[in-house]
Amino acid sequence: MPADRRYDLVIVGAGTGGIPCAIEAAARGARVLLVEKDSRIGGTLHVSGGHMSAGGTRRQRERGIEDSAAAHLADIDRISRGTARPDLAALAAHHAPGTIDWLDDHGFDFAPESPRLVYGHEPYGVPRTHYGRDAGLSILAVLRRLLDEQIAAGRVELWLGSAAIGLGGRPGGMPSVTVLRDGVDEVEATAPAVVLATGGFASDRALFEEIEGATLVSAAYRTSTGDGLVIAREAGAGVGGRGRYLPTFGGLPHPTAPGRAYAGDRPLLTAAERLPWEIYVDRAGRRFVAEDERSIDRKERALAASTDGTFWTVFDDRARLCSVPMVVGWSPADVLAKAGTRTGVHTAGDLAGLAARAGIDPDGLAATVERYNAAVAAGRDPEFGRTHLPAPITEPPFFAMENHGTTLITFAGVDVDRNLRVRRADGTVMDGVHAVGELIGAAATCGNSFCGGMLVTPALAFGRLLGRRLAPSCRDRPGPPHVPADE
């Protein structure tokens, strides 16, 4: 039998949601156990751009930007086409500005141009994307300092290198978490409340393909393996957000890890950042969208609907030399040097040879290029309505860069009610068990879309809310822990 330890609050996952939950609960007198399977805290903050969206922040007011939580919520509804959960999206939008101001109060190092409009996803109506000079690490710097204060005060016990392997408890009793501490000893930690904040599952192929129903090409953090989802499902939790998955538009294959995309080589596929000289083709050599489409959301949906997720950017030597570089940090000379040596980058003296090397149907590619060149000559694209037609694809050598719809985040997750209490598959609430962050699925606050900053911000905000509500002084109130919209 595992040894038993008792706390006021047990939090599984020391990342974007778990750390602020521990900070707030400990600051209100709770004795907190914070469990993390990695050897360090922070989770995806180590690789995230750290984009946070909020309407009505102090920083926006200082820069003369008129915004509000209501306007933010309206934009979420527009971008998601009404597919985000209304209760959780509203809760997140309401608490988002206070969350940004809280970071500001504690010395957050904003990037000087922030907040601004960001075009990597469908843009908001006003500049409301906030981020730090050092991306997600800027957020972690604040969280680490505040957490260290609570650890030093003896109110938070942090177990690193310790994975949660079971979730227990019975109706009317306290929940418990079985932890493999230091990868060796099984310890059962018990508390009136447990918060699961273990992140998503985009680094576990089998779990991803089961739940999201799509082929996984991942660029997610290595610890995003769905641990919290696994133990919650084993305990009877339901899964919410199924059917909302959407791929991120394009990423080059990892040079050494098959089945993964490499975030270090980011292709510029957003028309607002770079107007294309190339065409996009699928395995059959067919185009599937206007390459200069301004809406990245429309491109992502076309990719999901019309291909198996893989496509190639095809261009000639004139495009290599004359267009804005196609990959961040690559010069035209880099493209030439990497062709034939870097995984996914191909070149040949003719289109047939290029197709053979890239794995594209040669007849389909030849016919597509012929039609595209005719569209350039005519000054109009009758197939897709592309308007940026700078030059035909005629000058050898020819190039193809392989891309795939990539997964950074998971849309499905543990089902929760509006108070962030985990629900069973039959809709009943699991006593004392809560979940926050990517574990509840991006669909909860983004729906079937990418709403910029609506994963990091809700994780921080919901973690703080639960930390405040689950501290001992709050649990003494009658009734279930409740997160009112106006708290």
Side-chain angles (χ1 to χ4, degrees):
M1 290 292 291
D4 178 65
R5 301 200 179 202
R6 292 181 181 270
Y7 298 86
D8 294 319
L9 176 62
V10 174
I11 303 168
V12 184
T16 317
I19 299 174
C21 185
I23 291 166
E24 293 285 8
R28 286 158 178 77
R31 182 168 176 257
V32 179
L33 173 63
L34 181 59
V35 177
E36 171 55 53
K37 74 171 182 180
D38 202 358
S39 59
R40 60 183 182 178
I41 66 169
T44 59
L45 289 174
H46 288 284
V47 295
S48 169
H51 286 187
M52 302 173 286
S53 61
T57 66
R58 179 190 310 138
R59 191 168 176 88
Q60 284 177 308
R61 291 192 297 274
E62 290 170 351
R63 282 152 179 73
I65 300 168
E66 292 188 13
D67 201 6
S68 66
H72 185 192
L73 187 59
D75 257 358
I76 294 168
D77 189 62
R78 170 182 62 83
I79 293 169
S80 73
R81 295 173 168 83
T83 57
R85 273 187 51 174
D87 53 352
L88 295 182
L91 191 68
H94 179 82
H95 289 282
T99 299
I100 303 299
D101 290 350
W102 174 74
L103 289 172
D104 195 1
D105 290 340
H106 291 285
F108 182 73
D109 186 19
F110 288 99
E113 71 276 11
S114 163
R116 69 178 181 91
L117 286 172
V118 173
Y119 293 93
H121 300 308
E122 200 70 6
Y124 288 116
V126 299
R128 65 167 66 96
T129 300
H130 304 68
Y131 53 91
R133 292 177 189 268
D134 202 11
L137 294 178
S138 294
I139 300 172
L140 182 56
V142 175
L143 298 184
R144 187 192 305 276
R145 186 171 63 252
L146 296 176
L147 179 64
D148 284 347
E149 292 174 2
Q150 298 302 331
I151 292 173
R155 291 187 285 267
V156 174
E157 191 173 335
L158 174 63
W159 293 358
L160 294 174
S162 301
I165 59 173
L167 178 65
R170 58 183 182 273
M174 288 188 183
S176 65
V177 178
T178 302
V179 180
L180 192 61
R181 189 172 185 187
D182 299 322
V184 178
D185 299 319
E186 282 192 24
V187 179
E188 187 174 30
T190 304
V194 167
V195 175
L196 303 177
T198 55
F201 51 94
S203 284
D204 187 295
R205 181 173 302 278
L207 193 58
F208 178 86
E209 294 182 359
E210 175 210 339
I211 293 177
E212 299 287 25
T215 300
L216 177 63
V217 175
S218 178
Y221 191 53
R222 57 184 170 77
T223 60
S224 297
T225 53
D227 299 37
L229 179 60
V230 170
I231 64 172
R233 288 175 82 192
E234 289 174 349
V239 176
R242 288 183 185 266
R244 300 296 196 196
Y245 173 72
L246 189 65
T248 298
F249 192 77
L252 272 64
H254 197 288
T256 59
R260 289 188 64 87
Y262 183 55
D265 291 337
R266 184 172 75 89
L268 283 171
L269 301 172
T270 305
E273 294 181 298
R274 174 187 167 274
L275 286 172
W277 285 51
E278 68 276 11
I279 58 173
Y280 307 158
V281 302
D282 62 12
R283 294 185 191 277
R286 298 172 300 205
R287 294 169 67 209
F288 56 92
V289 71
E291 293 82 2
D292 63 348
E293 167 61 58
R294 302 290 291 188
S295 169
I296 192 67
D297 180 75
R298 292 194 186 101
K299 283 185 170 181
E300 287 160 345
R301 294 182 192 283
L303 176 67
S306 307
T307 76
D308 64 355
T310 301
F311 69 101
W312 288 262
T313 58
V314 174
F315 54 99
D316 66 0
D317 206 45
R318 175 165 41 194
R320 176 182 71 88
L321 293 169
C322 298
S323 74
V324 171
M326 300 179 185
V327 178
V328 175
W330 289 19
S331 67
D334 289 330
V335 174
L336 191 61
K338 292 175 185 294
T341 60
R342 195 254 191 244
T343 302
V345 183
H346 310 279
T347 188
D350 56 46
L351 289 174
L354 182 70
R357 291 177 181 177
I360 306 169
D361 179 74
D363 293 335
L365 179 60
T368 293
V369 171
E370 183 178 357
R371 288 194 302 274
Y372 175 75
N373 289 345
V376 173
R380 58 182 296 273
D381 173 20
E383 287 189 273
F384 295 100
R386 173 171 170 166
T387 59
H388 182 69
L389 301 163
I393 299 173
T394 56
E395 297 291 328
F398 299 93
F399 300 86
M401 288 189 190
E402 182 180 342
N403 280 267
H404 197 284
T406 62
T407 297
L408 291 168
I409 61 173
T410 39
F411 284 75
V414 171
D415 186 35
V416 295
D417 68 5
R418 72 171 304 274
N419 298 310
L420 305 169
R421 299 179 298 176
V422 173
R423 293 192 289 210
R424 298 183 181 86
D426 64 6
T428 59
V429 170
M430 296 178 67
D431 292 334
V433 183
H434 307 74
V436 295
E438 193 181 340
L439 178 59
I440 69 173
T445 50
C446 296
N448 176 224
S449 71
F450 293 101
C451 290
M454 280 301 291
L455 199 55
V456 173
T457 318
L460 292 165
F462 292 171
R464 293 186 66 222
L465 281 169
L466 279 183
R468 294 198 296 269
R469 295 299 305 179
L470 297 175
S473 60
C474 295
R475 286 203 312 274
D476 292 339
R477 299 173 186 171
H482 178 63
V483 183
D486 59 351
E487 177 170 326

